[in-house]
Amino acid sequence: MKEKSSMRVLSGIQPSGDLHIGNYFGAIEQFQKKQSGGDELFIFVADWHSLTTIKNPADLKKNIRQIVAAYIAFGLDAQKTTLYRQSDIPEIQEISWILSCQASMGRLQNAHSYKDKLDKGINATVGLFTYPILMAADILCVQADVVPVGKDQKQHLEICQEIAQKFNSTYGQTFTIPKGEIPDSVAVIPGTDGQKMSKSYANTIDIFAPDKKLKKQVNSIVTSPISVGDPIDTATCNILKLFKMFAMPEEIAEMETKYREGAIGFGDAKKILLDKIHAKFDLARKDFNRLMEDEREIDRVLAVGKEKAGAVVRKTLRTIREKVGL
Ligand code: ADP
Ligand code: TRP
């Protein structure tokens, strides 16, 4: 089949807390690349999804603004990219319901996100259980071709593909089957303790943290005890793993040599990493802080996105209603 020249790309982030470096490399950087590649982008704030975890209304409101401010601060341009908030488009809920009538119960019961919570003894809600169906609605409501996400979302995407296929085979060709895009190089960014960086593990380095907190987070990266002048293992050092995300190949080679020769200690390696983080994010950090003070700018962007995304979603809903006989 002939590939379309411009792809429709969709992705979203839950407003469930402060954005960290894993979110940047796993999600936002990919959105930036797609936007500059000339694709048609739909990037949204998954605020309905975050109700599965955030129960404090003031936190939710602040988190939503943070995600929009981050999108803008990182250069997503509301003129080119449709930036919107999921809950601004209630038609997505109707699509979600129609899709839920195609979704397999067994498949959802086996989803990691749900099973992991059950295994930890957390009392799962129906919202958590049906989370992948709403995610499928997010994707299928704009007929997305490509969905860039981190590796942790792979199973959710497969569930979305299955639901779309099931709908198509029941009612005739309706949905584009979306493709996930999970670049290997950034599949899992490690946190300060070496396991996946995640809010849930309290091991994050937060992109927009005030200087002092950022420094504290970098300093909290766990290292194995060594004596001054000893070589450091380049394969296991958590500081080096993160440094690699920010440095050029020559800089990485130079740093690895220093590690092997015992010519650098963890304290200095952390300082260098912190400088790299500042160099990469300081412009966006400044813009983010300005935007967080400017409620109107965020509202304006969301109003434009609501119109643009709403029109596309309503068109899909008309087609689906027709297909199922509503
Ligand atoms: P968290 O695990 O901190 O709750 P989210 O689930 O809200 O993060 O993730 C938002 C986006 O960032 C998703 O696309 C996810 O794949 C990506 N992401 C989160 N953590 C990482 C990580 N450690 N490495 C790569 N991508 C990540
Ligand atoms: N589940 C995603 C996450 O936790 C957020 C999300 C919701 C999403 N709907 C989506 C991502 C649709 C991509 C496409 O990160």
Side-chain angles (χ1 to χ4, degrees), residues 20 22-23 26-27 149-150 152-153 186-189 196-199:
H20 54 72
N23 300 140
V149 278
D152 55 337
Q153 297 300 313
V186 297
V188 180
I189 306 295
K196 179 201 165 210
M197 187 178 288
S198 170
K199 288 180 281 282

Side-chain angles (χ1 to χ4, degrees), residues 10-14 44 46 49 131 135 138-139 147 149 153 156:
L10 171 131
S11 195
I13 299 182
Q14 285 190 67
F44 70 100
H49 276 113
Y131 183 112
M135 181 155 161
D138 293 329
I139 299 169
V147 184
V149 278
Q153 297 300 313
H156 287 153

Side-chain angles (χ1 to χ4, degrees), residues 1 10 29 38 40 42 56 74 84 91 94 108 134 156 166 187 197 204 212-213 225 250 260 264 267 275 314 318:
M1 211 172 46
L10 171 131
E29 189 187 42
E40 185 191 6
F42 287 78
N56 177 316
F74 278 120
Y84 60 104
E91 288 85 356
E94 184 172 345
L108 294 181
L134 179 57
H156 287 153
K166 182 94 183 297
M197 187 178 288
T204 61
K212 245 173 111 175
K213 182 172 171 199
E250 316 80 78
R260 279 192 287 267
I264 188 162
D275 288 345
R314 282 189 285 279
R318 278 196 296 277

Side-chain angles (χ1 to χ4, degrees), residues 14 19 23 30 54 61 82 91 99 102 115 126 139 160 170 199 217 238-239 268 271 274 315 324:
Q14 285 190 67
L19 280 169
N23 300 140
Q30 298 192 63
I54 306 291
K61 275 198 161 62
T82 305
E91 288 85 356
L99 295 178
Q102 299 295 322
K115 259 178 57 182
V126 175
I139 299 169
C160 170
T170 309
K199 288 180 281 282
Q217 289 181 329
N238 294 327
I239 312 169
D268 285 336
K271 266 194 211 121
L274 183 64
K315 184 164 169 249
V324 301

Side-chain angles (χ1 to χ4, degrees), residues 116-246:
D116 290 354
K117 298 268 183 346
L118 285 194
D119 291 349
K120 283 186 191 136
I122 296 169
N123 217 340
T125 60
V126 175
L128 187 74
F129 181 68
T130 58
Y131 183 112
I133 303 176
L134 179 57
M135 181 155 161
D138 293 329
I139 299 169
L140 301 177
C141 73
V142 306
Q143 300 274 18
D145 299 298
V146 179
V147 184
V149 278
K151 200 173 176 181
D152 55 337
Q153 297 300 313
K154 188 165 176 270
Q155 193 182 48
H156 287 153
L157 268 173
E158 287 163 4
I159 295 174
C160 170
Q161 290 162 341
E162 285 161 21
I163 292 176
Q165 267 148 0
K166 182 94 183 297
F167 189 100
N168 286 350
S169 70
T170 309
Y171 295 111
Q173 178 57 38
T174 308
F175 290 119
T176 308
I177 307 298
K179 269 202 330 225
E181 213 171 80
I182 305 172
D184 271 347
S185 58
V186 297
V188 180
I189 306 295
T192 51
D193 57 359
Q195 53 171 340
K196 179 201 165 210
M197 187 178 288
S198 170
K199 288 180 281 282
S200 346
Y201 304 145
N203 63 357
T204 61
I205 298 177
D206 298 333
I207 306 169
F208 301 114
D211 291 356
K212 245 173 111 175
K213 182 172 171 199
L214 188 61
K215 187 171 175 187
K216 206 166 151 203
Q217 289 181 329
V218 170
N219 282 336
S220 74
I221 298 175
V222 176
T223 51
S224 47
I226 52 154
S227 310
V228 177
D230 276 357
I232 308 174
D233 183 2
T234 51
T236 54
C237 177
N238 294 327
I239 312 169
L240 187 64
K241 283 184 199 157
L242 287 167
F243 174 78
K244 285 182 176 174
M245 299 307 302
F246 293 89

Side-chain angles (χ1 to χ4, degrees), residues 13 41 59 61 63 65 78 80 93 99 118 136 140 148 150 211 220 284 299 319:
I13 299 182
L41 255 71
D59 285 350
K61 275 198 161 62
N63 292 349
R65 284 168 42 110
K80 291 190 204 155
Q93 283 296 345
L99 295 178
L118 285 194
L140 301 177
D211 291 356
S220 74
D299 289 347
T319 308

